[in-house]
Amino acid sequence: MKTSGIPVKITLDTHINRDGHHEDFELIVFGQYYKKDGTSYFIYDEIWEKGKTHTIVKYIDGEVPEVQILRTGAMNMRLFFRENEIMKGSYKTNIGMFTVEASTAALEYDWDEELKQGQMTINYHFFIEQIEVGTYQLQFTFKEEKGL
């Protein structure tokens, strides 16, 4: 893969419904956008109290589009999404490795090559070790950041 892509500002709005409670989070980071062989990549780092997490978001275009979110570092998680499917992943903590599952209700992606901006929305039910922990919505907004 190329060592540099298009610099982008990435806004991630996360909406969680869990046990009758609603939580919203917003993360704004700067990263890179690449496209190779029909797959779009968004790569960025998150800085947390416990250290840095390197994140790769892959959108694989195809008859059945798929999204992969791969996080390594202070947080280690692999999530996979296909609309109307249940996909297994993993979540590693200091007490061990857990199997996670995402039952994806909706997955939408759009990238405007001319404007160098796009968005992705994923709605899913999230399970850890087969126990549902909530309903999630991830809303990514990507926009070229010319100042980087």
Side-chain angles (χ1 to χ4, degrees), residues 68-128:
Q68 300 177 359
I69 299 177
L70 313 171
R71 303 171 86 190
T72 57
M75 173 186 284
N76 292 284
M77 180 179 275
R78 300 172 67 80
L79 291 172
F80 304 95
F81 305 94
R82 278 195 205 130
E83 194 168 80
N84 300 315
E85 290 190 32
I86 298 172
M87 305 283 290
K88 289 188 183 298
S90 62
Y91 177 43
K92 184 178 180 184
T93 71
N94 58 350
I95 60 171
M97 181 78 74
F98 295 93
T99 299
V100 297
E101 294 175 324
S103 175
T104 308
L107 189 156
E108 298 176 11
Y109 173 78
D110 178 60
W111 175 260
D112 186 314
E113 191 60 42
E114 186 176 320
L115 296 175
K116 304 286 191 242
Q117 65 185 27
Q119 59 187 12
M120 178 168 43
T121 302
I122 307 168
N123 295 324
Y124 64 101
H125 298 278
F126 186 56
F127 300 83
I128 298 178

Side-chain angles (χ1 to χ4, degrees), residues 1-16:
M1 187 180 303
K2 297 185 291 184
T3 57
S4 66
I6 297 170
V8 287
K9 177 181 179 181
I10 301 168
T11 303
L12 170 57
D13 291 307
T14 303
H15 308 283
I16 304 169

